[in-house]
Amino acid sequence: MSLPRTAANELVYTHGYYEILSPGVIAAALESRGQRAPDLQDPLCYFELGMGFGVSLLAHAASFPHMRFFGNDFNPAHVAYARDLARDAGLSNVEVFEDGFEELPDRDLPMMDCIVMHGVYSWVSPALRQAIVRFIERRLKPGGVVYVSYNTLPGWAPLLPLRELFHLHASRVADPESGAAGQLQGALDFIGRLAACEGGYVQAHPAVAERLRHAQVEGPNYALHEYVGPDSHPLYFHQVAAEFEAAGLSFAAPALLAEQVDAACVPEELAALLESTPDPVLRETLRDYGLNRAFRRDLFVRGGQVLAPAEQVARMREREWLLAAPRDALPQCAALRLVGQWLGEAACTDLLDALGEGPVRLGDLAARPQLGGLPAQSIHEGLLLLSSSGVVMPALPAALRATARASVQGFNAAVLQRGGEDGTRHLVCGASGIATEWTPAALRQIRAAQSHGGDPDAIARAVAESLGRDGVLDAAELAESARRYLAQRAPLLRRLEVV
């Protein structure tokens, strides 16, 4: 493709945050599958490969200040941003490096309990994948865990022609003077015109049209990473499993909590086939064929330990959960409807009411009169489904939340000070160690409320002044918005321990 040689550095990636990388979520996923997770109370070491701007890395460093966090990225703009945000947040437990993957195996680092990579493994060359595996082999402790996401086959196969068309457009008709962003936007617009035509490739593969819509929303930075980078190698699960097996790792669990609930994710006939397939690698590959999956999020462990059934149940019952949204403004999603059908509407309502007052232990939920007749496992599976739809969060133990209060507030203060204008719009929820996204308008309002307490008129004036348009915006409308904030959003932020 005739992109400028500097395209990889000219177009920085998005300021994404991925809760699936949280040590707390990883621990919940492992224990849910009966695997022993690294103890979150311990001073663990955690490395994020290809961290981008480092938003996830820094949010998790703030959530677990007793741990050490490391990250790398080859893009100097990403590394500089992460260092600046870490400084502004007052984080002293994080180090980031402007290193390529081939340089990492020889860097002097401690042994790691957790190594994660999101949007990396199938987007680099085979040689760099080997460098990643060497790093894992050298640096992951026995009992350590690796999170990896990757485009997978057969589901990604229909998208290969889309990538080819991006490259062909740039090599044949793109204006070399327009720069990487201009060339990529031109390719997006050109392919969008093809999608508007009836029939043909795009209509034969509905996933392609959806991917194009998503790429248009995300813009050229996303398209560069997903479709135009020099390497894109969708992988079968068995290929990834073999590469990690060479480093002493074995598959442990799906990282996305909802994907652990086969009753909701897997058709009955496919479930029977999977149940009759003893080989774990073949079974997971069959799962991808049966579901036509294009993307996987997996956890692998080195020398993993299986929990005794009684201990697994005890840990499940001790885990706390809480609502991630106001009780009267929950996102309407398929998971919420499904859980209502599973548990019964009355039981589901009682479950959500209890979580709205949380954090609350699963064991305490199972003891509630409205839920007492339901198996704890059924309630647990409902929570797993709801967690992946933004309805609930697994909570951290109270002792960890108390330890992290100052560092969480420091990170959130740094994000609020920037106002979301630099692209980082996530605030850490101290109750869960997970960050949630807010609009720039919401960030301005949260910051104003921290300075002006419960005075809606003062909050409104501060918001107007922050926009530099005092007197232009409707003061009454801003004050009414501030009153809604104080009545609805502020209690949620306190319960999530954001403020």
Side-chain angles (χ1 to χ4, degrees):
M1 183 172 188
S2 59
L3 285 176
R5 289 184 177 272
T6 58
N9 287 341
E10 178 185 336
L11 283 179
V12 294
Y13 196 50
T14 60
H15 289 69
Y17 167 82
Y18 306 100
E19 70 175 69
I20 203 167
L21 304 182
S22 166
V25 174
I26 290 172
L30 287 173
E31 291 182 357
S32 177
R33 274 297 174 96
Q35 295 279 337
R36 187 173 302 281
D39 190 338
L40 298 181
Q41 308 276 358
D42 289 344
L44 305 178
C45 291
Y46 173 113
F47 200 109
E48 183 176 352
L49 294 162
M51 66 180 186
F53 282 106
V55 178
S56 298
L57 182 72
L58 300 185
H60 299 145
S63 302
F64 300 91
H66 63 294
M67 300 182 187
R68 296 178 67 190
F69 288 79
F70 304 85
N72 81 296
D73 202 279
F74 76 96
N75 190 319
H78 292 167
V79 175
Y81 180 90
R83 287 174 176 163
D84 286 347
L85 183 56
R87 181 200 62 228
D88 293 348
L91 296 174
S92 59
N93 63 329
V94 61
E95 296 179 50
V96 296
F97 313 111
E98 188 188 327
D99 282 352
F101 299 127
E102 68 277 12
E103 301 168 87
L104 284 177
D106 297 322
R107 181 175 278 279
D108 184 18
L109 292 166
M111 295 295 286
M112 300 292 162
D113 299 276
C114 188
I115 298 174
V116 303
M117 59 195 118
H118 187 76
V120 171
Y121 201 66
S122 61
W123 291 266
V124 298
S125 69
L128 289 182
R129 287 208 313 273
Q130 291 175 10
I132 289 171
V133 172
R134 285 198 303 274
F135 176 74
I136 293 170
E137 185 176 22
R138 293 186 187 183
R139 292 297 172 197
L140 187 67
K141 291 180 182 177
V145 58
V146 169
Y147 164 88
V148 58
S149 67
Y150 51 99
N151 288 333
T152 193
L153 296 167
W156 220 86
L159 299 170
L160 291 171
L162 180 61
R163 174 178 164 82
E164 186 70 15
L165 196 53
F166 268 104
H167 281 256
L168 185 62
H169 179 273
S171 65
R172 304 291 295 187
V173 300
D175 178 6
E177 300 300 321
S178 64
Q183 291 185 43
L184 286 166
Q185 190 59 55
L188 280 170
D189 294 341
F190 176 78
I191 298 172
R193 290 170 59 193
L194 172 66
C197 301
E198 294 186 2
Y201 160 68
V202 176
Q203 277 64 39
H205 301 285
V208 174
E210 179 58 35
R211 288 293 188 118
L212 283 172
R213 284 191 291 270
H214 183 62
Q216 285 284 10
V217 170
E218 294 291 342
N221 304 58
Y222 172 84
L224 173 68
H225 175 75
E226 189 70 12
Y227 301 112
V228 189
D231 287 286
S232 178
H233 305 280
L235 298 162
Y236 291 100
F237 170 79
H238 72 84
Q239 293 174 304
V240 176
E243 291 175 359
F244 282 4
E245 185 180 11
L249 277 69
S250 58
F251 176 69
L256 188 68
L257 296 178
E259 289 182 356
Q260 298 194 10
V261 187
D262 279 354
C265 303
V266 179
E268 188 174 341
E269 297 83 358
L270 177 60
L273 176 60
L274 297 176
E275 183 68 24
S276 67
T277 306
D279 181 81
V281 173
L282 178 58
R283 184 168 58 247
E284 285 301 308
T285 303
L286 280 176
R287 185 187 300 270
D288 293 341
Y289 273 78
L291 299 176
N292 195 34
R293 288 211 286 200
F295 188 63
R296 286 190 65 107
R297 289 154 287 202
D298 292 336
L299 295 174
F300 287 80
V301 293
R302 167 176 279 171
Q305 300 179 42
V306 177
L307 295 171
E311 184 179 3
Q312 182 185 1
V313 171
R315 287 174 177 268
M316 177 184 73
R317 294 180 67 88
E318 283 298 314
R319 185 172 298 282
E320 293 181 303
W321 298 81
L322 75 164
L323 276 190
R327 175 65 183 91
D328 57 355
L330 295 177
Q332 295 305 305
C333 57
L336 195 56
R337 293 189 292 273
L338 180 59
V339 172
Q341 294 169 7
W342 273 9
L343 304 183
E345 292 300 333
C348 184
T349 297
D350 189 63
L351 173 68
L352 297 173
D353 288 344
L355 292 168
E357 301 169 1
V360 57
R361 294 168 58 252
L362 175 61
D364 293 333
L365 289 171
R368 291 173 68 89
Q370 288 275 23
L371 297 169
L374 295 170
Q377 180 63 30
S378 296
I379 300 172
H380 180 242
E381 289 180 347
L383 292 169
L384 295 181
L385 287 174
L386 294 174
S387 71
S388 297
S389 298
V391 178
V392 305
M393 296 175 174
L396 295 176
L400 283 181
R401 302 201 300 266
T403 300
R405 188 162 291 121
S407 54
V408 165
Q409 294 306 309
F411 177 87
N412 289 346
V415 174
L416 289 170
Q417 178 66 33
R418 294 163 180 242
E421 300 303 326
D422 62 351
T424 296
R425 298 169 183 174
H426 286 81
L427 300 176
V428 172
C429 304
S432 63
I434 294 170
T436 54
E437 186 173 12
W438 303 86
T439 65
L443 293 174
R444 287 191 292 270
Q445 195 172 52
I446 294 168
R447 184 183 176 195
Q450 286 186 313
S451 301
H452 298 284
D455 185 342
D457 294 320
I459 294 172
R461 287 193 298 271
V463 169
E465 291 169 3
S466 71
L467 293 170
R469 293 180 289 179
D470 192 16
V472 176
L473 297 178
D474 188 300
E477 182 179 336
L478 286 175
E480 177 58 30
S481 175
R483 280 188 282 273
R484 289 195 301 271
Y485 167 87
L486 293 170
Q488 300 171 7
R489 184 172 289 166
L492 172 68
L493 293 173
R494 289 192 294 270
R495 182 165 55 79
L496 296 179
E497 299 178 21
V498 174
V499 297

